Amino acid sequence: MEISLIKHVQLAKVLRKRPTDAEMVMWRHLRAKCLGELKFKRQGPIGKYFRDFICYEKRIIVEVDGGRH
C-alpha cells in the first residue's frame, strides 16, 4: 500500500471512533435496516475524500453534516 493510502485508512478508523451526533443517529437507523435490506458501511476513503456511509450494492453514498463540519 502507498503511504498516503495507509494514512487515509488510519484516518477513517479515527472518524469511525469519533462520529458526530448526526452520524450516530444515522448509523443507528442504517444498522437497524430502516432502509430495507441495504447494507451500509461507514467512514472510508474514496480517493482523497471520505464518505460517511456507503451502500456498495446500490451505489449510494450518504453524507451527514454534524457539529464539526
Side-chain angles (χ1 to χ4, degrees):
M1 264 197 273
E2 177 181 309
I3 296 289
S4 62
L5 181 57
I6 292 170
K7 288 182 181 180
H8 264 53
V9 171
Q10 290 171 342
L11 180 55
K13 288 179 183 181
V14 170
L15 292 172
R16 280 193 297 271
K17 289 179 182 179
R18 298 178 51 206
T20 65
D21 292 341
E23 290 170 349
M24 285 191 293
V25 170
M26 180 63 111
W27 185 237
R28 190 175 320 124
H29 289 288
L30 292 175
R31 286 192 65 178
K33 306 269 189 200
C34 290
L35 295 176
E37 294 299 315
L38 298 178
K39 288 178 81 172
F40 282 85
K41 294 191 178 248
R42 309 189 289 153
Q43 298 295 352
I46 294 180
K48 64 180 184 175
Y49 301 101
F50 288 90
R51 43 79 179 153
D52 291 331
F53 306 99
I54 188 167
C55 173
Y56 288 103
E57 178 185 359
K58 298 293 184 179
R59 299 175 55 124
I60 299 170
I61 294 175
V62 178
E63 284 295 320
V64 179
D65 285 338
R68 286 180 272 180
H69 290 138

